[in-house]
Amino acid sequence: MIGERMKIAIIGTGYVGLCTGTGFASKGHDVVCVDIDEVKVNKVNSGIPPIYETDLEDMLKDVISKNRLRATTNINSAIKECEVVFICVGTPSDDVGRIDLKYVRQSALDIGNALRECDYKVVVVKSTVTPETTENIVIPKIEEASGKKVGQDFGMCMTPEFLREGSALKDVLEPDRTVIGEYDQRSGDTIEPIFKELNAPILRTKIKVAELIKYANNAFLATKISYSNEIGNICKRLGVDVYDVLKGVGMDHRMSPYFFNAGAGWGGSCFPKDVAAIIEKAKELGYEPKMLQEVVDINKRQKVRMVEQLQKKMDIKNKKIAVLGLSFKANTDDIRDASSIDIIKKLLDSGAIVAAYDPQAMENMKHIFPGITYNENATETLRDADACLIVTEWEEFKNLKDENFNIMKNKLILEGRKVLDKKEIKDFDGICW
Ligand code: UGA
């Protein structure tokens, strides 16, 4: 170690790996990002992020120009050169929602092979893994492949990531807290300097606790949204706006006003997969997590609620329905588990004709729904439409005015996210308001 500057290898140059690596490099560490995908590696080395993320391109170009970050497909040499190795590979869901650990196992094997000829290093799991994975799978695999002993020849930690798409770099550099699950004190002491300079509280704990903190965190956030939506559905029946109600609730300091945005449900690459995985893990441990199952069920129903509300107002068969917003949230082209998918499917199943627009996500959606109409802007999508559903809270939808909607055949507007300006648009309805 040169002062506090460390040599860090990051295995997996996806969303978490690249943002974490770029963030660490911006703090002066020497980072080498490893990926099996040569195209991705070449892109990163020329300063082009393979994913879109706010400020990532500028920061990546900067750290590359300062020789603080490079990418490679050679995992062996990357590990040999570093002091700390972060595992940042994906942990997708299998068919029943259990976590699929194939990439984590492969990384452990590769790290183990490289460690055969190495002195002490610390391996850190940052991929989201269910409790017991690091101790029952990662450590034994590394020990087996390396012939070395954890706590003696190499150290082991688990530091969950709390990155949000759209603000991932900020979340790396200005986290609410850092959780370090450590095999022993030496392991934790070795990696703590990387996080100390981020000026956020550091919680040092057991590995299994750190693994569960990640799931408990996402499960609570998903629960908070499903709770907001449940209250929202009651509000709708009472003719009140859920945002007025939750504003009052959020003023209780035990509650916090954040993440109370009721609407058309939660999606993305994290909540659906992580809540499903912790449910499956609980069952494996002999516990039926009924509340979390209901959180998922509420969400499933919430995603298509707008279509049901629309069907109460009109027969949608052969009617043109404009869908504004396809990504699972604003400022991303990510459509994984987006509410728009369930909504479009239900519209099509009911015989509607769908026209859609999204500033970023249309190319991705074309793979799922090649047969619907994709328009170049919101106004074109609204032309001659019989109804409009607003599904993602894109900034540009906030600027829509009455004149944009006047070209609809029938001006029936239903919001699934709170975006429209009441001063600008007369007569629109909301999912929970
Ligand atoms: C989420 C967590 O917020 C991060 O802390 C976590 O690190 C990440 O998952 C992960 O596990 O890697 P992300 O999926 O990027 O981050 O997106 P969020 O901003 O949390 O939104 C998730 C979904 O919830 C979106 O569909 C969003 O529209 C919905 N949402 C969010 C609401 O419906 N209401 C809200 O108040 C907030």
Side-chain angles (χ1 to χ4, degrees):
M1 190 166 61
I2 315 155
E4 299 277 297
R5 188 171 158 190
M6 299 189 82
K7 292 187 173 163
I8 299 170
I10 308 255
I11 316 298
T13 312
Y15 202 79
V16 173
L18 188 57
C19 293
T20 304
T22 307
F24 287 168
S26 78
K27 288 285 177 185
H29 300 291
D30 283 328
V31 176
V32 51
C33 290
V34 182
D35 207 282
I36 46 170
D37 183 343
E38 202 152 334
V39 177
K40 208 185 255 186
V41 162
N42 291 339
K43 270 192 168 178
V44 172
N45 281 330
S46 37
I48 303 162
I51 46 144
Y52 174 76
E53 180 57 41
T54 319
D55 299 334
L56 182 59
E57 185 157 356
D58 288 349
M59 200 182 280
L60 182 64
K61 286 201 160 74
D62 182 56
V63 293
I64 286 175
S65 72
K66 291 174 177 150
N67 286 325
R68 293 212 197 110
L69 185 142
R70 67 184 177 86
T72 178
T73 52
N74 190 337
I75 188 164
N76 212 48
S77 69
I79 290 169
K80 283 181 184 156
E81 283 166 29
C82 74
E83 296 155 286
V84 181
V85 190
F86 281 85
I87 300 178
C88 294
V89 294
T91 50
S93 295
D94 71 9
D95 300 346
V96 287
R98 280 182 313 231
I99 184 169
D100 179 347
L101 292 169
K102 61 175 178 283
Y103 303 117
V104 172
R105 283 180 215 275
Q106 186 59 48
S107 303
L109 184 67
D110 293 339
I111 292 169
N113 286 331
L115 286 186
R116 278 187 167 277
E117 300 147 35
C118 292
D119 294 336
Y120 185 88
K121 294 176 194 300
V122 178
V123 181
V124 188
V125 175
K126 194 171 258 307
S127 302
T128 298
V129 293
T130 44
E132 300 182 319
T133 302
T134 304
E135 280 151 314
N136 292 355
I137 293 171
V138 180
I139 293 178
K141 237 192 159 79
I142 296 176
E143 286 186 330
E144 192 191 324
S146 63
K148 303 221 166 182
K149 187 89 196 81
V150 66
Q152 188 180 299
D153 308 310
F154 70 95
M156 192 78 217
C157 289
M158 195 280 154
T159 61
E161 56 86 9
F162 302 104
L163 316 184
R164 291 161 299 173
E165 284 189 30
S167 56
L169 279 176
K170 191 170 180 293
D171 292 339
V172 170
L173 298 171
E174 299 165 37
D176 286 348
R177 76 322 204 170
T178 298
V179 175
I180 300 180
E182 60 199 35
Y183 178 81
D184 55 10
Q185 181 158 356
R186 186 181 177 196
S187 307
D189 285 351
T190 307
I191 69 162
E192 188 173 310
I194 302 173
F195 301 102
K196 224 172 184 162
E197 61 185 311
L198 302 179
N199 292 326
I202 295 177
L203 175 68
R204 286 180 60 171
T205 186
K206 291 181 186 153
I207 286 181
K208 211 193 284 188
V209 174
E211 290 169 328
L212 186 52
I213 285 173
K214 166 69 189 194
Y215 283 95
N217 208 84
N218 272 1
F220 183 80
L221 292 173
T223 303
K224 199 171 178 187
I225 306 169
S226 281
Y227 156 83
S228 309
N229 289 335
E230 184 130 285
I231 297 295
N233 297 336
I234 300 170
C235 288
K236 188 72 189 167
R237 283 162 178 77
L238 286 169
V240 296
D241 184 335
V242 64
Y243 280 74
D244 293 338
V245 174
L246 293 180
K247 188 174 176 191
V249 176
M251 288 163 90
D252 184 323
H253 75 279
R254 293 167 300 178
M255 230 70 85
S256 106
Y258 308 107
F259 244 70
F260 262 156
N261 297 325
W266 42 270
S269 63
C270 306
F271 288 170
K273 155 177 103 71
D274 292 351
V275 181
I278 198 62
I279 287 173
E280 289 308 312
K281 180 68 191 180
K283 287 188 197 160
E284 193 189 303
L285 295 167
Y287 179 72
E288 197 71 34
K290 293 216 166 124
M291 189 193 77
L292 293 181
Q293 282 163 343
E294 192 50 39
V295 165
V296 172
D297 288 345
I298 289 173
N299 195 49
K300 209 180 266 172
R301 295 192 292 270
Q302 196 68 13
K303 284 180 166 184
V304 291
R305 193 170 295 278
M306 290 169 85
V307 182
E308 289 159 4
Q309 289 173 337
L310 188 60
Q311 282 174 314
K312 282 191 189 139
K313 293 175 194 265
M314 65 188 276
D315 177 7
I316 61 175
K317 192 157 190 248
N318 295 324
K319 296 282 166 31
K320 175 179 170 179
I321 312 297
V323 175
L324 298 187
L326 299 171
S327 55
F328 85 94
K329 66 176 186 180
N331 305 320
T332 175
D333 63 355
D334 198 338
I335 57 161
R336 282 177 285 179
D337 273 307
S339 301
S340 60
I341 298 174
D342 299 55
I343 288 170
I344 293 173
K345 188 168 182 314
K346 195 166 171 73
L347 287 171
L348 294 175
D349 287 348
S350 309
I353 301 155
V354 176
Y357 167 70
D358 186 283
Q360 294 280 345
M362 292 197 289
E363 286 310 311
N364 286 337
M365 199 55 98
K366 282 177 189 170
H367 298 292
I368 300 185
F369 297 111
I372 65 171
T373 304
Y374 294 92
N375 293 104
E376 281 188 5
N377 53 51
T379 313
E380 224 20 69
T381 317
L382 292 168
R383 189 178 298 282
D384 297 326
D386 295 283
C388 164
L389 303 181
I390 299 190
V391 184
T392 314
E393 66 284 15
W394 284 100
E395 195 62 32
E396 66 177 78
F397 300 154
K398 293 184 185 164
N399 300 323
L400 289 171
K401 297 186 171 39
D402 250 338
E403 64 216 48
N404 299 102
F405 290 99
N406 285 342
I407 59 170
M408 293 173 73
K409 193 197 272 174
N410 176 33
K411 204 169 149 198
L412 201 167
I413 309 161
L414 187 52
E415 264 188 320
R417 310 283 174 195
K418 199 139 180 124
V419 283
L420 298 181
D421 186 344
K422 271 188 187 157
K423 289 190 269 354
E424 294 291 345
I425 299 157
K426 288 178 233 88
D427 297 335
F428 65 89
D429 204 1
I431 181 170
C432 304
W433 50 90

